[in-house]
Amino acid sequence: MDTTTAMVGGLVFTLFGGALLLWCAAEVRLRLWVRRRGMSAVATVVAEEDVHGRLDSAPLLSFSVPPSACGTGACGIAGLVVARPRGHTPLRRSDRLAPGASVRICYDPRRPSRVVPAAGEVRRAAVVDLLWSLLGVGCLTAGAGLLAAAGV
């Protein structure tokens, strides 16, 4: 392999793997923080008008918050928040997330639009987080190997 190609490929893989690992760590940390220190609520899955929104695997959720949590302007109408949850969502939306279904959530009281599914609502989240982390480590390893082969 040409030295320039190996160097560029190694840099791309290394940057991608590092960014993916940082993103995974930040998302896991955010979800854990919101579940530990956030407020619990029950949200309702809202029917979506937008075609692209229906294709998104993360459902649009609506829930009420106390008036004190709406001081930042994140609420739409008098304590009502409409947001998509962060964290693990499957490739296709399951039948239990049909419009009108109730879902247990946790939200950040300082930013009510930051929503995560409650711990019991998410299945196999640790497996998916592990797979993304392994992909990041694999890209970092491949990038380091290419950089070593290029002699950098």
Side-chain angles (χ1 to χ4, degrees):
M1 184 181 299
D2 185 25
T3 305
T4 307
T5 305
M7 240 173 53
V8 170
L11 284 173
V12 167
F13 274 119
T14 302
L15 289 175
F16 176 73
L20 186 59
L21 283 175
L22 286 174
W23 174 76
C24 286
E27 280 293 314
V28 169
R29 184 172 183 242
L30 174 76
R31 285 184 305 210
L32 290 175
W33 187 89
V34 171
R35 285 186 185 127
R36 286 183 187 148
R37 295 196 174 102
M39 304 291 292
S40 297
V42 175
T44 304
V45 179
V46 177
E48 300 187 47
E49 305 282 324
D50 184 24
V51 174
H52 299 293
R54 279 183 259 149
L55 296 176
D56 192 350
S57 62
L60 193 60
L61 302 175
S62 172
F63 61 98
S64 298
V65 295
S68 62
C70 289
T72 61
C75 300
I77 303 171
L80 183 67
V81 178
V82 178
R84 291 189 191 281
R86 297 179 73 128
H88 172 68
T89 52
L91 293 177
R92 283 187 290 148
R93 200 178 294 181
S94 68
D95 294 335
R96 69 180 186 86
L97 296 176
S102 295
V103 179
R104 290 181 306 125
I105 60 164
C106 295
Y107 67 92
D108 185 353
R110 293 178 291 163
R111 292 180 58 192
S113 61
R114 187 179 285 175
V115 179
V116 297
E121 293 289 325
V122 180
R123 296 183 187 112
R124 300 181 310 209
V127 174
V128 173
D129 290 335
L130 180 64
L131 290 175
W132 281 111
S133 299
L134 288 175
L135 178 64
V137 168
C139 287
L140 271 174
T141 305
L146 285 172
L147 289 174
V152 174

